Amino acid sequence: MKTLPMAEVTKALGSSSDGLTQAEAAKRLEQYGPNEIVEHKTNPLLKLLSYFWGPIPWMIEVAVVLSGAVGHWPDFFIILVLLVANALVGFTEERQAGNAIDALKAKLAINARVRRDGEWVTPAARELVPGDVIRLRLGDIVPADARLLDGDEIAVDQSALTGESLPTTCTAGDAVFSGSVIRRGEIGALVYATGTHTYFGKTAELVQDAHTVSHFQKAVLKIGNYLILLAVALVTFIVVVSVLRGDAVLTTLQFALVLTVAAIPVAMPTVLSVTMAVGARLLAKKQAIVSKLVAIEELAGVDTLCADKTGTLTQNSLTLGDPFSVADVTAADVILAGALASRADNDDPIDLAVLGGFGDATALQAYKVTHFEPFDPVHKRTEATVTDTDGSTFTVTKGAPQVILSLAGDAAASKAAVDTAVNDFATRGFRSLGVARAEGEGGEWRFLGVLPLFDPPRDDAASTLATAKAMGVSVKMVTGDAIAIAKETAAKVGLGTNILDAAGLGDVKKKESAAVAESIESADGFAQVFPEHKYHIVDVLQQRGHIVGMTGDGVNDAPALKKADCGIAVSSATDAARSAAAIVLLTPGLSVIIDAIKESRKIFQRMNSYAMYRIAETLRVLLFMSVAILVFNFYPVTAIMIVMLALLNDGAILSIAYDNVRYKMQPEAWNMRLVLGISTVLGVVGPIAAFGLFYLGDRVFDLGHPRLQTMMYLMLSVAGHLTIFLTRTRGPFWSIRPARILLLAVLGTQAIATLIAVYGLFMTPLGWQWAGFVWGYAIICALASDRVKLLADRVLDRTKDDADASVDTTSTENQPAKSSAATKVAATTGRAAFYTDTDPGDAVYHDNDDCPYGKEIKNHHNDHPGTAHRRRCDWCAQHDQAATVRR
């Protein structure tokens, strides 16, 4: 089919230039199957069985065997039941997460323009069948292997298939392959192979199971490895001491295995996948579809956002102004030529604006367009060959004024006047299009005039940019327009007017000097940008230590979208841009991006809370058990109690994926100092409280070891769950109301744990009186631990380096003057901007005059004059104020 003459291909496929009928297409779809690479999905039964295979399940299974070997049948059966229950919970949650992601990805399905029953329709590309006639245009991903029909040559990017970076020129009769991208031109094609029968189908099947692990997942997995090593070290020490004391080897080994299982974060993979999936669904409600889950973590850390002007900062609703015309050309002639060089069915905003400005559509029917070349980013113009009513032929073109001037033979005579007109339009915020006409075919071009197009700023642009600045995100405008237009638009939306001419960046492949890199970093935007400049800008900003988000819509934006830490395809993006991006927007504007950043920061907070909880809880159990065994030669809980403790804790913690959190007012970063510090403090305070109850039960109330074990089990369970409420907030535990599902999960699991202890399921009954005493003791200890947490947070936060401090990249412009300190000088160093004053003691800028921290901060600054240190203000966060303190 690749090489046969087109007539034979058409005959073999039973098709024609009019394509197939809908009925025939449905029959072939059933015969050939969907046009997609069938994803290799693990058999559900095998997936379930995989939860019984691996280091952690092996440990539990060995514990089951050892329980049977020593005749501890209650332990044997309960551990076995819990092993199966854990596998079922993990399997169910991960399956639901996978289904949710599949549903979201379905929204990004590529459509194809297909001729069915003689009419053009746009079904999903998966419905294509051999014999279909399709239309390929600039920016399209070729949906199936096809042979080109009659038409102009096109440029096809086959780098995804062949690795060849330069586009290939293809003409009528040539084969184009699924997965390649149309870089230039427009043409029809006849599909001859779909799905796994395509050129790229077999190769795609080999690599589709590859998975990417995000930076955040790697960090959390490192925590898991740390906890495993800590558990193994302490458990090994316990085993050695127990053996030297003459304890039963099998019993000791069984207990050691169970303790190790309890310490290892068994639920970590499930919590990660569930939290990410829930986050993706929440982002979808914000009209942002996540095509790569790892993008959620990257988006939370974005501190620099390079945003397209058109459609993001402006309405992308162009209107035609009064044109400029040269010499004896009339304004109507300029508009007519521009309208003839436009095509309505391309849905191009510029073409639609020019046609809309022409007004009388019937007047265009007198002309016949015999050939049309659509716009492409390289030549920056459209061209049409037209036949008049008298049979004469002429050619018209419209595009960038400098491009059209370079074509015109009379450019020298009109260049000065054209430049003046273009600059005048630009200062008023108008975008300019040059228009030219040539008589006959191949005649000399004559410059006619300039069409001004105005794209007004979006109503929400200024407020959204202010929100972005308050959140520590520096927005840089990126546009292909002239500098004057860029500056005018930037001023209207509240951006700075430090706009760089991208053409002055030089060779985009070279390493920029420190001065040029600094100018890129400090710029408010970039004008006259070509797609390759976008890639270069992202690269320089990343080298300067920024986490960069980049928006794009065109096929040539794909490299920059892939290069960026978080590539964002806007609502009007081509298939190629959507494929390269990590997040795809469904609605225009910048506000949806800011909403997505807020949501991703909330997701990051939930993951942060889980990490702190997991470390603290593991330390609590390990330290308490180790000290009790080594110092008191007493097992404070039994093996079966530890397994139930682990199961109930892991079951409740899954609900943290739905918890209420507040996003931070600066980009998120994995602050290991704070996470490890606070979790370690809580992990040490917990055993101290546990030993207090142990002393009361053993020495004061003389409960006896069996009942004491039940009491300690209930204490570890209740106190462990209360730790969730401590780690989920930076302020007091009541500062953010927990989600109902989290509250119900904790209360539900603790009700179960309490009933087990009270009535003695697999343990000595404790009774309601002592259970109530344990609950009261645990709550009092949790309240005390919360105060310790706040103290630890304050100490750790104050000792952080400036590089770890809250970053605020807002300028001093438009800041509310709530402080008496009138002078605020922004001294920029790298990624951070700090506020200083000639009298540091008075240089306290605060977001709310009622905040009780104000005086304390001022006093601290008097003790440390000249510093530029800042910290998160919890009071402001709790009262919905901007959560930073600037000194």
Side-chain angles (χ1 to χ4, degrees), residues 816-833:
K818 289 186 179 180
S819 169
S820 60
T823 308
K824 291 182 279 290
V825 182
T828 305
T829 55
R831 292 172 57 184

Side-chain angles (χ1 to χ4, degrees), residues 63-64 67 72-80 254 638-640 762:
V64 171
S67 298
H72 290 177
W73 297 111
D75 289 5
F76 173 86
F77 285 110
I78 191 64
I79 295 174
L80 182 61
Q254 178 210 23
T638 63
I640 197 170
F762 303 113

Side-chain angles (χ1 to χ4, degrees), residues 441-693:
E441 292 190 24
E444 185 178 62
W445 289 105
R446 179 192 176 200
F447 194 89
L448 300 181
V450 179
L451 295 174
L453 297 172
F454 180 62
D455 186 10
R458 292 181 60 85
D459 295 336
D460 61 350
S463 60
T464 304
L465 285 170
T467 302
K469 290 179 181 180
M471 294 173 62
V473 179
S474 172
V475 179
K476 299 182 184 296
M477 182 175 68
V478 181
T479 178
D481 290 339
I483 292 181
I485 297 175
K487 287 186 176 181
E488 179 70 15
T489 303
K492 288 181 178 178
V493 299
L495 277 175
T497 55
N498 179 20
I499 307 296
L500 288 186
D501 184 350
L505 296 179
D507 184 359
V508 296
K509 295 182 180 179
K510 76 174 183 180
K511 183 177 177 62
E512 295 289 5
S513 64
V516 174
E518 187 172 343
S519 69
I520 291 174
E521 184 179 35
S522 60
D524 297 312
F526 307 90
Q528 300 188 151
V529 173
F530 281 81
E532 57 268 26
H533 291 135
K534 288 188 176 184
Y535 185 95
H536 186 56
I537 290 167
V538 171
D539 186 38
V540 171
L541 290 172
Q542 287 175 332
Q543 291 178 19
R544 300 284 289 183
H546 293 277
I547 306 298
V548 183
M550 168 64 79
T551 69
D553 60 357
V555 57
N556 285 354
D557 291 337
L561 292 175
K562 282 190 174 182
K563 174 65 176 173
D565 296 286
C566 187
I568 303 168
V570 297
S571 58
S572 59
T574 60
D575 292 339
R578 288 187 171 205
S579 177
I583 292 179
V584 179
L585 306 182
L586 300 182
T587 57
L590 185 65
S591 60
V592 64
I593 302 177
I594 302 304
D595 285 343
I597 291 176
K598 292 176 182 177
E599 201 60 54
S600 65
R601 290 184 184 180
K602 291 180 181 179
I603 297 164
F604 193 101
Q605 288 284 336
R606 295 183 184 109
M607 301 303 298
N608 206 51
S609 300
Y610 169 70
M612 284 196 286
Y613 161 78
R614 187 67 262 180
I615 297 171
E617 190 57 22
T618 299
L619 286 174
R620 176 200 304 271
V621 174
L622 280 177
L623 291 177
F624 176 67
M625 296 296 298
S626 300
V627 174
I629 294 170
L630 297 176
V631 176
F632 300 103
N633 192 22
F634 171 65
Y635 288 85
V637 291
T638 63
I640 197 170
M641 291 176 181
I642 293 178
V643 175
M644 287 193 295
L645 190 68
L647 180 68
L648 290 175
N649 280 2
D650 288 343
I653 198 61
L654 286 173
S655 60
I656 204 169
Y658 302 87
D659 192 21
N660 296 327
V661 292
R662 287 197 182 99
Y663 61 86
K664 292 176 67 174
M665 292 302 291
Q666 61 271 348
E668 289 285 5
W670 187 239
N671 190 340
M672 198 64 73
R673 179 209 301 265
L674 204 61
V675 170
L676 289 178
I678 292 178
S679 56
T680 300
V681 168
L682 292 175
V684 171
V685 170
I688 295 174
F691 276 115
L693 184 63

